[in-house]
Amino acid sequence: MSERDDPGVIGRRVQQLRVERGLTQKQLAEPAYTPAYISTLESGRVRPSDDALRHLADRLGVGFEELATGRPAHLVTDLRLRLTEAQRTLATGEAEEAAEQYARLLAESDALDLGEVRAAALLGLGECAIETGELSAAREYFEQAEKDLGGVPLPARVPALRGRALSHYLAGELRYSVYLLESAIDELNRGGLHDPDALLLLYASVIGPYMDMGAHARAAQAAELALALAPQAGDPALVAHMHRSVARTLLAEGRAAEADASLAKAAELYRQLQIRTELANCHWMRGYVYAQNGQLERAEEELRQALAMLSAKRAALYSSQAAVELADVLHKRGKSEEAAAILEDVLADFSPERGALHSAAAHRLLGIIAEDARDTDAAEEHYVRALSLLERAGAVGDLADLCRLLGDLYRRTGRVEAALDAYRTGLGHRTAPGTTTLGPAPAQPPL
């Protein structure tokens, strides 16, 4: 229920409607109230109860919300119906069209002072901006949504908080993303706010940053807790998101068949929900699983399908990420020229404030392709650029591998001291497991 107007405004509204309908104060009051009460109410000297407002709304022939807030009920209902339509549009991958719908809803909710619809519209605009790769704009929308929801319990604020963490993660700010997610998890569990949907969303979202930081044990623990929470979750989209995230952990543990099964479950749920972008991401992850398992032809098929679906929906950031994975498979299949062309397009598409991890992956792979072509200068340039991006992002696991590649390059070209420095740097990253700014893992829910 929206906040009602102050007593003086409500009193004037009641008086105006009563006069328009030709009713006396006695006729309006009967049978539950007295004319004196109506007179006091119309003068703004008393705050009417919900029961009193319902009685008056019935006698005056208007809706409760219209009498309490001045907003015609049909306008509020229309706004909420359109909000649902915008959510459906976004769920089917039409991010730009959904953004236009959310922008109109935001403007109208401001005019009608509908805080609940405003927060939902801001959240939707943030999700649209994530899909189109506008991470700074997404972060601002999520921050504003969090601010607007400041007075509600934490579980209701989790989608906005998770969106903000995701925007930082995709921009390569892994440690801060983990800090936000872990803080929310800790606050929920220590405060006894064991909301299954909120916790599932947070645990599924933290797996990716954990994996990229090399914190595999924490990723595995988060995946285990997410799987335990899944049967309690009321939102099938969250369950699908969880299955897709858990697949990364299973893959890291060498459990390719289980990872593939988890992705198949996610894909089926997304088909049911018609969430095209997330379904494309499932094809992307399945392609990654097949690639790690040596099934390169199947990997290429899945990744091409993912890229086609994402490109058709103009999900810019996700398209670029899938393209890097596809280029890796193409290189392994001997199609290095096509792979290099894809990677150059990827790097042209990324801006400095987004896509750090996948820019690094593109430079790394271009370095490998350049080495195969015996162009050591180009290879070194790409490796060094990748190293700089990964160091800023704190992606420990990838850093160690990249230092090995760079060290091997230096060694082959006779630069022994530089090679030793690169190897030492890589060993330093390998022996320093991924950690977070919080130190101890967050509290766990009672399962």
Side-chain angles (χ1 to χ4, degrees):
M1 187 70 66
S2 301
E3 263 190 46
R4 67 178 62 173
D5 288 328
D6 63 59
V9 174
I10 292 176
R12 289 192 294 275
R13 188 176 297 130
V14 169
Q15 184 180 43
Q16 179 182 349
L17 290 169
R18 177 180 64 77
V19 171
E20 286 175 358
R21 284 154 179 73
L23 298 173
T24 66
Q25 289 182 337
K26 181 179 180 181
Q27 289 171 324
L28 180 60
E30 292 177 344
Y33 299 92
T34 65
Y37 175 76
I38 299 300
S39 176
T40 304
L41 187 152
E42 288 184 350
S43 65
R45 297 197 302 266
V46 64
R47 176 175 288 278
S49 66
D50 284 355
D51 286 341
L53 281 175
R54 288 191 181 92
H55 167 82
L56 295 171
D58 183 62
R59 298 286 288 169
L60 293 167
V62 297
F64 172 89
E65 183 152 343
E66 182 174 355
L67 187 61
T69 67
R71 296 188 289 266
H74 70 88
L75 288 180
V76 177
T77 302
D78 177 64
L79 230 63
R80 288 177 178 148
L81 285 172
R82 286 167 52 208
L83 178 63
T84 303
E85 176 60 22
Q87 291 165 336
R88 187 203 66 78
T89 303
L90 177 58
T92 55
E94 300 287 352
E96 292 184 355
E97 182 182 340
E100 292 175 3
Q101 293 173 312
Y102 281 124
R104 289 193 292 269
L105 284 163
L106 181 62
E108 292 178 47
S109 65
D110 282 342
L112 293 172
D113 195 25
L114 277 174
E116 178 188 343
V117 176
R118 172 183 161 79
L122 285 166
L123 192 61
L125 284 167
E127 295 288 353
C128 292
I130 286 286
E131 287 222 9
T132 55
E134 301 165 273
L135 299 185
S136 292
R139 187 160 55 247
E140 290 175 10
Y141 286 130
F142 290 130
E143 286 173 354
Q144 189 57 57
E146 269 193 278
K147 183 179 178 181
D148 286 9
L149 294 168
V152 305
L154 179 58
R157 288 184 275 122
V158 161
L161 189 150
R162 175 259 181 185
R164 187 155 62 95
L166 178 61
S167 66
H168 284 289
Y169 168 50
L170 292 174
E173 300 162 12
L174 277 66
R175 198 172 293 273
Y176 187 61
S177 174
V178 168
Y179 165 75
L180 291 174
L181 294 167
E182 282 194 341
S183 296
I185 291 169
D186 211 39
E187 188 176 345
L188 284 171
N189 289 329
R190 292 190 188 282
L193 302 170
H194 305 301
D195 182 281
D197 283 359
L199 284 169
L200 177 56
L201 183 58
L202 291 168
Y203 280 124
S205 298
V206 82
I207 290 173
Y210 277 156
M211 293 288 288
D212 288 335
M213 290 175 68
H216 296 155
R218 286 208 182 179
Q221 183 186 45
E224 182 181 345
L225 292 169
L227 286 167
L229 287 163
Q232 306 172 46
D235 187 344
L238 290 182
V239 179
H241 174 75
M242 177 273 298
H243 279 299
R244 184 163 61 88
S245 298
V246 164
R248 290 193 67 182
T249 305
L250 295 172
L251 188 62
E253 296 174 356
R255 296 151 66 182
E258 291 174 66
D260 191 43
S262 191
L263 290 168
K265 291 176 184 176
E268 182 55 33
L269 283 165
Y270 284 130
R271 282 191 190 93
Q272 294 169 12
L273 293 164
Q274 293 185 310
I275 302 180
R276 188 174 177 83
T277 298
E278 293 291 356
L279 178 56
N281 286 336
C282 288
H283 285 293
W284 167 22
M285 284 300 296
R286 282 178 71 111
Y288 185 73
V289 170
Y290 288 137
Q292 297 303 305
N293 208 30
Q295 298 169 278
L296 297 181
E297 186 175 351
R298 294 185 70 182
E300 182 179 341
E301 290 174 4
E302 292 283 353
L303 289 167
R304 285 194 186 279
Q305 185 170 355
L307 189 57
M309 292 171 72
L310 291 166
S311 298
K313 295 301 173 185
R314 286 173 288 183
L317 188 63
Y318 293 134
S319 297
S320 297
Q321 294 172 347
V324 172
E325 301 292 352
L326 175 59
D328 188 39
V329 170
L330 291 172
H331 169 63
K332 289 173 181 174
R333 298 198 70 197
K335 304 176 183 179
S336 296
E337 190 173 331
E338 183 182 356
I342 290 174
L343 294 169
E344 294 293 352
D345 287 343
V346 165
L347 291 172
D349 185 53
F350 280 129
S351 65
E353 63 101 23
R354 67 185 181 92
L357 292 174
H358 297 277
S359 282
H363 279 299
R364 174 190 175 278
L365 186 49
L366 281 169
I368 292 172
I369 292 171
E371 274 207 86
D372 290 346
R374 303 186 188 282
D375 187 348
T376 55
D377 289 342
E380 181 180 349
E381 182 181 350
H382 285 299
Y383 288 153
V384 169
R385 287 189 181 182
L387 190 63
S388 174
L389 289 164
L390 291 174
E391 283 177 338
R392 288 203 301 270
V396 176
D398 292 337
L399 271 168
D401 175 66
L402 189 60
C403 287
R404 177 188 59 80
L405 288 171
L406 188 58
D408 289 347
L409 175 65
Y410 287 147
R411 181 174 53 82
R412 282 194 294 272
T413 54
R415 288 171 284 176
V416 177
E417 286 300 322
L420 287 172
D421 285 342
Y423 290 142
R424 289 189 194 102
T425 303
L427 285 170
H429 289 303
R430 180 63 71 191
T431 56
T435 57
T436 70
T437 49
L438 285 185
Q444 297 183 21
L447 297 173

